[in-house]
Every structure is written in structure tokens, then in C-alpha cells.
């Protein structure tokens, strides 16, 4: 790794919302893994609760980030996180 790349990575890690972005990336990767696991095997729909819960957390983090920046788009992320929470509860109770 050259010097410019190291400086860029340090600047990104010092960014204002690096932790939120890092957790969001981990949640998105987790959703992808759960979707792949859900498509194989006998238990079809086994991971829907987890997928919607991760989606709720992902959209909630985006809502928090957009609220701190004072963006109007935070309302959309808030409604989407509410929708994901409702879907997770519905899948949990198998409604």
C-alpha cells in the first residue's frame, strides 16, 4: 500500500460517521448472507425475521445519520424502519 492510500484510509476512518457507515456495511453484508442461506435448504422463510430485523437496524442507522445532517430524507428512512419493524414482528408471529 502506498502512502496516499494510507492517508486516504486514515482520513476516512476519522470521518464524522465512519462508525455508522461501518456498522451499516456489516448489516448489509449480513442481510446478503441471510438471503443466500434462506434460499437454500428445507426451511424456506426461516431467516425472514432476521432479515427484516437487520433491515430495520440498517434503515434506523440511516435515519439517525440523516437526522444529524438535518436532511428531510430522514423521514423516509424513519417510515421505512417502521415498516421493517412491523414486517419483522409479523414474521415472528407468522401472521
Amino acid at each position: 500500500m502506498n502512502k496516499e492510500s494510507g492517508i486516504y484510509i486514515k482520513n476516512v476512518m476519522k470521518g464524522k460517521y465512519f462508525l455508522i457507515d461501518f456498522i451499516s456495511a456489516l448489516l448489509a453484508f449480513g442481510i446478503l448472507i441471510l438471503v443466500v442461506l434462506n434460499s437454500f435448504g428445507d426451511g424456506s422463510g426461516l431467516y425472514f425475521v432476521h432479515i427484516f430485523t437487520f433491515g430495520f437496524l440498517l434503515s434506523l442507522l440511516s435515519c439517525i445519520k440523516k437526522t444529524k445532517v438535518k436532511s428531510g430524507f430522514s423521514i423516509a428512512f424513519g417510515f421505512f424502519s417502521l415498516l421493517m419493524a412491523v414486517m419483522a414482528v409479523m414474521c415472528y408471529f407468522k401472521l
Side-chain angles (χ1 to χ4, degrees):
M1 179 167 46
N2 58 15
K3 186 176 181 178
E4 292 84 16
S5 299
I7 292 171
Y8 175 75
I9 291 172
K10 286 180 185 177
N11 287 336
V12 168
M13 290 179 72
K14 290 179 186 176
K16 200 171 188 181
Y17 301 109
F18 173 72
L19 187 60
I20 291 176
D21 291 335
F22 183 73
I23 293 171
S24 296
L26 289 177
L27 285 170
F29 187 68
I31 290 171
L32 289 174
I33 289 173
L34 287 173
V35 166
V36 169
L37 288 175
N38 194 44
S39 63
F40 296 116
D42 297 332
S44 179
L46 185 65
Y47 296 108
F48 278 155
V49 175
H50 301 92
I51 291 169
F52 284 121
T53 304
F54 281 10
F56 163 71
L57 292 173
L58 184 65
S59 60
L60 186 66
L61 285 174
S62 297
C63 179
I64 291 169
K65 183 178 174 182
K66 293 297 180 184
T67 303
K68 287 184 177 184
V69 184
K70 294 182 173 59
S71 172
F73 204 60
S74 64
I75 296 170
F77 280 117
F79 283 131
F80 189 68
S81 62
L82 181 66
L83 176 68
M84 291 289 115
V86 168
M87 290 303 296
V89 169
M90 288 177 66
C91 287
Y92 181 75
F93 290 116
K94 297 179 178 156
L95 297 177

